[in-house]
Amino acid sequence: MLGVFLLTQPAWSQEKSGRNTWTWNHSDDGRKIEVKVESKVEFSNDYSDVATIPDDGALRIYDSRGPRTYRLVVTRDAAGGLRRDYSVDGQSRAFDAEGRSWLRAVLLQAVREGGLDARNRVQRILKERGTRGLIEEMAYIKGDYVRLIYFEELLQAPDVSNRDLKGALRNASTSIGSDYERAQMLLQVGKIFLVNKDLLPEWFQAVSKIGSAYERARVLSSALKRDELSKEALVGIARAAASLDSDYEKSTLLIKAAESYQGDAELRAEWLSAVHTIGSDYEHHRALSGALKPNEISVDALADLVESATRIQSDYEKASFLIEAMNHYRNQPRLRTAFMNVARTINSEYERGRVQKRFDKADFSSTW
């Protein structure tokens, strides 16, 4: 039976006996529906009836709409066949064509909104209509949770083209309303999109649709953990980081990314461009400090970091960073010039004095 991830509604539960139970509840405009699947239940292809059910299985449906109430319980009888207890407004009815039409409508709603039988349905669609058919079906899916299941299965389909992947991602990133679910989707597809240059722009475009700075930063942080990211991917991550509207999330992400960017001048420039979009002096200082961690930081990388500190308005934050950076100082003309130029922008005599003491300790003779 269907395995679930990122689940809110519907919900799996497991009884003490070990039997799985799947429940979907829906309430809208006075209509209330509950679909409950116990153990492994298989449906006919058109969802007008149950195909097979185990001894401990059951399908239970309650559907109340205005003055009318429908109930159906399908179990296995003693002879191994199906027993259908069907009632309308409390009166038992034969499970006839009208009943099957009602059941099909309810089950299709549970399929498209709740994810009932989703993975089995996806495999049938792929077999009968291919990836284009699955993408077309995804247009009818309403729930974010169910869209994620369909999208996950699409990624695993054989011979899916880049064109289809792009179209599916555009559809999913536009139709999924929750930033959390959209982020989860992008985490799932990163393993495919981040290693394919042709798919990279679509992935970053989808990232830009996440409104929450926290969720967007979470996706980008996860991307950084992948091995052998291309230069194009790293550039994209730095530019996406620059668009974050939270200085804290931005600096935290850039600190995590720092080591991947400092060894290449072009990548370092992209990283620093993102740092320069940080409005908070404290967070700007924190990001630059995070890039100082490698013991063997190059002269050019250190000089670039120091020069970036010129943009820090707070004398305290600027002086504090220069003092930290002096731990990596080497007697090189470019470094000396960079340190001196930034130190001269400190207005506070007290903060300049703190920096001067650190310079003196390092035998860094200077003329202010």
Side-chain angles (χ1 to χ4, degrees), residues 214-351:
Y214 170 80
E215 293 296 346
R216 195 184 302 184
R218 188 165 69 91
V219 171
L220 296 173
S221 294
S222 177
L224 286 168
K225 296 176 183 178
R226 301 197 174 277
D227 296 332
E228 299 180 359
L229 282 175
S230 67
K231 194 168 186 176
E232 291 82 359
L234 287 169
V235 168
I237 290 172
R239 292 178 180 176
S243 68
L244 293 173
D245 58 10
S246 163
D247 284 341
Y248 171 77
E249 298 295 349
K250 188 180 298 185
S251 63
T252 300
L253 173 61
L254 290 171
I255 289 168
K256 294 176 182 178
E259 189 172 356
S260 299
Y261 289 79
Q262 301 311 309
D264 180 283
E266 183 180 346
L267 288 176
R268 188 166 65 250
E270 293 287 349
W271 185 88
L272 286 167
S273 291
V275 170
H276 296 160
T277 66
I278 298 174
S280 161
D281 288 338
Y282 172 79
E283 295 298 346
H284 189 158
H285 171 191
R286 194 165 72 91
L288 295 179
S289 295
L292 290 174
K293 291 180 181 179
N295 292 326
E296 298 300 326
I297 187 169
S298 71
V299 168
D300 286 337
L302 181 57
D304 286 344
L305 295 175
V306 171
E307 288 167 359
S308 175
T310 306
R311 297 170 178 261
I312 297 176
Q313 298 299 309
S314 163
D315 286 340
Y316 169 78
E317 300 294 350
K318 186 182 296 183
S320 297
F321 174 71
L322 286 180
I323 291 169
E324 293 169 26
M326 279 298 297
N327 292 325
H328 301 267
Y329 179 76
R330 277 95 82 194
N331 188 16
Q332 296 287 336
R334 188 188 172 195
L335 281 179
R336 179 182 176 81
T337 299
F339 273 94
M340 289 299 303
N341 286 343
V342 177
R344 289 190 180 104
T345 66
I346 298 175
N347 295 314
S348 164
E349 291 186 8
Y350 174 78
E351 296 300 341

Side-chain angles (χ1 to χ4, degrees), residues 3-8 119 145 148-149 152 181 184 188:
V4 176
F5 67 102
L6 312 176
L7 203 51
T8 51
R119 298 190 191 280
Y145 151 74
L148 287 171
I149 294 177
E152 182 186 48
E181 302 289 7
Q184 290 298 117
Q188 285 281 337

Side-chain angles (χ1 to χ4, degrees), residues 83-310:
R83 174 178 174 174
R84 303 173 184 84
D85 295 312
Y86 175 57
S87 67
V88 179
D89 300 334
Q91 301 295 315
S92 294
R93 293 266 189 100
F95 189 65
D96 53 13
E98 181 181 348
R100 285 185 170 82
S101 177
W102 162 80
L103 177 61
R104 183 175 185 274
V106 172
L107 288 181
L108 279 177
Q109 187 174 1
V111 163
R112 288 173 169 169
E113 297 182 25
L116 174 65
D117 201 35
R119 298 190 191 280
N120 290 331
R121 178 171 171 78
V122 166
Q123 293 308 314
R124 286 198 296 271
I125 293 172
L126 286 172
K127 183 177 180 180
E128 296 169 5
R129 297 157 53 196
T131 55
R132 292 297 175 86
L134 181 58
I135 292 172
E136 291 171 2
E137 176 65 19
M138 288 171 69
Y140 296 99
I141 303 302
K142 295 182 179 180
D144 290 348
Y145 151 74
V146 188
R147 287 192 185 96
L148 287 171
I149 294 177
Y150 278 57
F151 197 86
E152 182 186 48
E153 293 296 318
L154 175 65
L155 292 176
Q156 300 175 38
D159 303 321
V160 60
S161 68
N162 283 357
R163 178 182 176 184
D164 286 341
L165 287 172
K166 289 178 180 181
L169 182 60
R170 282 195 296 269
N171 177 283
S173 62
T174 300
S175 57
I176 291 177
S178 160
D179 280 339
Y180 172 79
E181 302 289 7
R182 188 179 287 123
Q184 290 298 117
M185 174 197 67
L186 288 167
L187 291 173
Q188 285 281 337
V189 305
K191 58 189 175 185
I192 293 175
F193 280 71
L194 285 169
V195 298
N196 187 325
K197 291 182 180 180
D198 187 38
L199 298 176
L200 270 177
E202 297 293 337
W203 191 84
F204 282 111
Q205 180 62 31
V207 170
S208 72
K209 294 183 182 299
I210 300 176
S212 162
Y214 170 80
E215 293 296 346
R216 195 184 302 184
R218 188 165 69 91
V219 171
L220 296 173
S221 294
S222 177
L224 286 168
K225 296 176 183 178
R226 301 197 174 277
D227 296 332
E228 299 180 359
L229 282 175
S230 67
K231 194 168 186 176
E232 291 82 359
L234 287 169
V235 168
I237 290 172
R239 292 178 180 176
S243 68
L244 293 173
D245 58 10
S246 163
D247 284 341
Y248 171 77
E249 298 295 349
K250 188 180 298 185
S251 63
T252 300
L253 173 61
L254 290 171
I255 289 168
K256 294 176 182 178
E259 189 172 356
S260 299
Y261 289 79
Q262 301 311 309
D264 180 283
E266 183 180 346
L267 288 176
R268 188 166 65 250
E270 293 287 349
W271 185 88
L272 286 167
S273 291
V275 170
H276 296 160
T277 66
I278 298 174
S280 161
D281 288 338
Y282 172 79
E283 295 298 346
H284 189 158
H285 171 191
R286 194 165 72 91
L288 295 179
S289 295
L292 290 174
K293 291 180 181 179
N295 292 326
E296 298 300 326
I297 187 169
S298 71
V299 168
D300 286 337
L302 181 57
D304 286 344
L305 295 175
V306 171
E307 288 167 359
S308 175
T310 306

